[in-house]
Amino acid sequence: MIVAEQKPLDEILSALGASERVLLVGCHGCVTVCAAGGEKETEQLARLLRVAGKTQGKKISVETVTIERQCDPEFIEPIAAQAHEHQAVLSLACGAGVQLMAERLGSIAVLPALNTLFLGVAEEKGTWVERCQACGDCKLHLTGGICPVTRCAKSLMNGPCGGSSAGHCELDPELACGWQLIIDRLEALGQLDQYEKILEPADWSRARHGGLRKVNREDLK
Amino acid sequence: MTKSMGKLEAVLSQGKFAVTAEAGPPRGARPEVMREKAALLKSQVDACNVTDNQTSMVRLCSLAGSALLLAEGIDPVMQMVCRDRNRIAAQSDMLGAAALGIRNLLCLSGDHQSFGDHAQAKNVYDIDSIQLLQIARQMRDEGKFAGGDEVDGRPQLFLGAAANPFADPFAIRVPRLAKKVAAGAQFIQTQCVFNVEKFAQWMQGVRDRGLDQKTHILAGITPIKSLGMARYMATKVAGMDIPEAVIARIKGVDKKLRKQEGIRLAIETAQQMKEIPGIHGVHIMAIEWEEAVSEIVAGAQLR
């Protein structure tokens, strides 16, 4: 899922500026799962904004609505009229959701309430960790199902570097060395001989370096 | 090849014991710093590495630093890290280096930027050190860029890489060296050796696979300047192995004599390295202490 976290309240207030009628829009997608922008978080943020407004002597009127997905126009259209009754829309979706809302809602400002962080997994309750950088050229079949681009701090295709120490990355003793994980997994799979194959330079043109990416599926049109 | 051979390659190909050292460029546009280091090192070494923004602190670039050493009559080993260059810049710098007469290139991944004073910088890591070696070899031997087009004037570079026998997992440290050799590493400079026993164990594995016949291995030697430095390297530098006995030895002498003890230890280690089969030289990394190099070279009778 896409993992995000809420921006500091001061930053949100500063982005809202003089807006007095604000619509907070939550999303039932990834940000609900990572407890950053679902219905519950949207209501919580609304309460905080009302209190902050009072403290600053402003009359902020805050309404809330949470839609299925902000990354899909069909769920945005039904709230367009409601949105236009406000001076600003504060979106609790990921960056993709914020942008599609802004495109679809046109003349109303859509502001982000979250910082979008990464594509990750829930390692345990309350802990999410990055797993994928969406590089567009998956090599997990060569590396024991562990991504060197994401898990190695230097994205080395032929690691580990000389800083791998007792299973940890030199950046942080709390952080596992991605290449130690890859080697352990290859060993468990009986594929350690794979290690000596030199992985060729990646084709980053399939990552964001090749420009805006698009998937066009004629069979679905 | 012979025509363009640098001193390091010549010494190693003649089967002589090579000595290299390191000259870290200044944090400013002062060429005289490189000239002063050159004066201290010139008669002591066969070649001298020029570090590439080591520990991710901005310094005079290794290409210019290498050119400055070359002008002083030293055979420079230009270090190149993958942190700051994509494959376009890396190949371009190789052409520039070769055109200026630089003959040695050490291919490295590079320290992560979070260790330096520009932790907010974006890193590159388009390729890694092994891929960098492959690209350099392809340009030199096949006359082709990484993209496949022809190189008009092949860069004649003697290619090196680093090896750290003390990093984990130990079991892949020999296979990793094999990958670097397969990618084109003609010489290897190792991490500083303090744990001689572990280093010898790694070298046994290297010899078992015949890798010492395929590349020239230079053992890393670093003189310890102070107890603080020993402790710092032991606890704060990942992949550095400093046995307790080494720290105890430095601690055991009077504070004023610790520098001298550090040099004595470096001399002893260098002598031990000469005795290990398959070691073709030493790489002395006297960090901002170039004066120590001559003492180690003389003390261990390296040249």
Side-chain angles (χ1 to χ4, degrees), chain A residues 160-180:
Chain A
C161 75
S164 178
S165 182
H168 302 296
C169 173
E170 64 181 3
L171 253 60
D172 178 359
E174 300 289 308
L175 197 67
C177 164
W179 271 96
Q180 173 83 56

Side-chain angles (χ1 to χ4, degrees), chain A residues 158 166 195-196 199 202 204, chain B residues 126 128 131 168 176 179 209:
Chain A
N158 298 281
Y195 175 75
E196 283 202 36
L199 291 190
W204 299 114
Chain B
D126 172 27
D128 63 25
Q131 295 161 344
D168 291 318
R176 184 159 162 77
K179 281 180 95 163
R209 290 193 51 167

